[in-house]
Protein backbone atom coordinates (compact mmCIF):
# COMPACT_ATOMS: atom_id res chain seq x y z
CA UNK A 1 0.00 0.00 0.00
CA UNK A 2 2.88 2.36 0.85
CA UNK A 3 6.26 2.30 -0.85
CA UNK A 4 9.28 4.15 0.51
CA UNK A 5 12.52 4.82 -1.36
CA UNK A 6 15.56 6.36 0.33
CA UNK A 7 18.34 8.30 -1.35
CA UNK A 8 21.21 10.59 -0.47
CA UNK A 9 23.61 8.24 1.29
CA UNK A 10 27.31 8.19 0.57
CA UNK A 11 30.83 8.44 1.92
CA UNK A 12 31.87 11.50 3.92
CA UNK A 13 34.66 12.44 6.30
CA UNK A 14 34.03 12.96 9.98
CA UNK A 15 32.55 16.40 10.54
CA UNK A 16 30.86 16.45 7.17
CA UNK A 17 27.18 16.53 6.27
CA UNK A 18 24.67 14.50 4.30
CA UNK A 19 20.99 14.97 3.53
CA UNK A 20 18.87 11.85 3.18
CA UNK A 21 15.55 11.83 1.38
CA UNK A 22 12.69 9.35 1.42
CA UNK A 23 10.03 9.44 -1.28
CA UNK A 24 6.70 7.92 -0.33
CA UNK A 25 4.05 6.67 -2.70
CA UNK A 26 0.76 4.85 -2.47
CA UNK A 27 -2.89 5.39 -3.15
CA UNK A 28 -3.77 6.70 0.31
CA UNK A 29 -0.49 8.08 1.62
CA UNK A 30 -0.98 11.71 0.66
CA UNK A 31 -4.43 11.92 2.25
CA UNK A 32 -3.77 9.94 5.42
CA UNK A 33 -1.90 10.67 8.64
CA UNK A 34 1.40 8.82 8.78
CA UNK A 35 4.10 9.24 11.36
CA UNK A 36 7.49 8.72 9.77
CA UNK A 37 10.92 7.92 11.07
CA UNK A 38 14.54 7.27 10.24
CA UNK A 39 16.18 4.10 11.54
CA UNK A 40 19.72 2.85 11.16
CA UNK A 41 21.49 -0.45 11.51
CA UNK A 42 25.23 -0.93 11.69
CA UNK A 43 26.92 -4.32 11.26
CA UNK A 44 26.60 -6.36 14.42
CA UNK A 45 24.23 -3.90 16.05
CA UNK A 46 20.49 -3.69 16.57
CA UNK A 47 18.33 -1.45 14.44
CA UNK A 48 17.66 1.81 16.24
CA UNK A 49 15.37 4.77 15.71
CA UNK A 50 17.41 7.92 15.25
CA UNK A 51 14.61 10.38 14.49
CA UNK A 52 10.86 10.45 13.93
CA UNK A 53 8.20 13.01 13.12
CA UNK A 54 4.43 13.30 13.44
CA UNK A 55 2.16 13.50 10.40
CA UNK A 56 2.07 17.30 10.46
CA UNK A 57 5.62 17.86 11.65
CA UNK A 58 4.46 19.23 14.98
CA UNK A 59 6.32 16.70 17.11
CA UNK A 60 9.77 15.21 16.63
CA UNK A 61 11.89 12.62 18.37
CA UNK A 62 15.66 12.30 18.32
CA UNK A 63 17.92 9.68 19.80
CA UNK A 64 20.33 11.13 22.34
CA UNK A 65 23.26 10.19 20.13
CA UNK A 66 22.13 12.50 17.32
CA UNK A 67 20.49 15.40 19.15
CA UNK A 68 21.89 18.70 17.98
CA UNK A 69 23.40 17.14 14.87
CA UNK A 70 20.48 15.62 12.92
CA UNK A 71 17.25 17.31 11.85
CA UNK A 72 14.19 15.45 10.60
CA UNK A 73 11.62 17.22 8.44
CA UNK A 74 8.90 16.42 5.95
CA UNK A 75 7.29 18.06 2.96
CA UNK A 76 3.83 16.54 2.87
CA UNK A 77 2.82 18.10 -0.44
CA UNK A 78 5.69 16.18 -2.04
CA UNK A 79 5.31 13.07 0.14
CA UNK A 80 8.96 13.37 1.07
CA UNK A 81 10.83 12.85 4.33
CA UNK A 82 14.28 14.31 4.99
CA UNK A 83 17.11 13.78 7.42
CA UNK A 84 19.77 16.48 7.53
CA UNK A 85 22.88 15.04 9.15
CA UNK A 86 25.60 17.42 10.28
CA UNK A 87 28.82 16.91 12.24
CA UNK A 88 28.89 13.27 11.23
CA UNK A 89 30.91 10.82 13.27
CA UNK A 90 32.34 7.41 12.33
CA UNK A 91 29.83 5.81 14.69
CA UNK A 92 27.04 7.15 12.46
CA UNK A 93 28.10 4.65 9.79
CA UNK A 94 25.11 2.42 9.06
CA UNK A 95 22.38 1.59 6.60
CA UNK A 96 19.64 4.16 7.08
CA UNK A 97 15.99 3.24 6.53
CA UNK A 98 12.90 5.38 6.39
CA UNK A 99 9.67 4.02 7.83
CA UNK A 100 6.01 4.97 8.08
CA UNK A 101 3.18 4.21 10.49
CA UNK A 102 -0.50 4.96 9.94
CA UNK A 103 -1.64 6.75 13.09
CA UNK A 104 -5.23 5.67 12.49
CA UNK A 105 -4.11 2.30 13.84
CA UNK A 106 -3.31 3.87 17.18
CA UNK A 107 -2.42 7.43 18.09
CA UNK A 108 -0.55 8.71 21.11
CA UNK A 109 0.92 12.07 21.99
CA UNK A 110 4.48 12.90 22.92
CA UNK A 111 7.82 12.31 21.27
CA UNK A 112 8.29 8.93 22.95
CA UNK A 113 5.24 7.65 21.09
CA UNK A 114 6.98 8.42 17.80
CA UNK A 115 9.85 6.17 18.79
CA UNK A 116 7.67 3.28 19.93
CA UNK A 117 5.14 3.13 17.11
CA UNK A 118 5.12 -0.20 15.31
CA UNK A 119 6.29 1.10 11.96
CA UNK A 120 5.14 -1.31 9.28
CA UNK A 121 6.27 0.27 6.02
CA UNK A 122 9.98 0.32 5.24
CA UNK A 123 12.31 1.48 2.52
CA UNK A 124 15.20 -0.51 1.12
CA UNK A 125 17.86 1.50 2.93
CA UNK A 126 20.71 3.77 1.92
CA UNK A 127 24.32 3.36 3.05
CA UNK A 128 26.01 6.12 5.03
CA UNK A 129 29.73 5.72 5.66
CA UNK A 130 31.70 8.21 7.74
CA UNK A 131 35.47 7.96 7.63
CA UNK A 132 37.84 9.15 10.32
Amino acid sequence: QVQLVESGGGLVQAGGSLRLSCAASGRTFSTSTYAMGWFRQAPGKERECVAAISWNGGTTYYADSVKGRFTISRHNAKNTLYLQMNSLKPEDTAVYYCAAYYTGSGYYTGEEALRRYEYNYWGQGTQVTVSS
Side-chain angles (χ1 to χ4, degrees), residues 102-113:
Y102 176 52
T103 59
S105 299
Y107 173 78
Y108 304 93
T109 59
E111 66 177 58
E112 279 298 306

Side-chain angles (χ1 to χ4, degrees), residues 53-123:
I53 190 168
S54 60
W55 76 273
N56 63 355
T59 305
T60 56
Y61 163 83
Y62 295 97
D64 289 342
S65 60
V66 306
K67 283 182 179 178
R69 300 189 297 120
F70 291 10
T71 302
I72 189 171
S73 61
R74 64 192 299 168
H75 194 304
N76 286 347
K78 298 192 294 185
N79 295 331
T80 304
L81 177 74
Y82 303 99
L83 185 68
Q84 179 66 46
M85 304 185 294
N86 298 325
S87 302
L88 283 162
K89 304 175 180 180
E91 48 263 49
D92 294 319
T93 296
V95 177
Y96 284 71
Y97 301 87
C98 64
Y101 168 79
Y102 176 52
T103 59
S105 299
Y107 173 78
Y108 304 93
T109 59
E111 66 177 58
E112 279 298 306
L114 293 173
R115 179 178 67 86
R116 299 186 66 83
Y117 280 149
E118 295 181 3
Y119 292 87
N120 57 337
Y121 299 103
W122 296 85

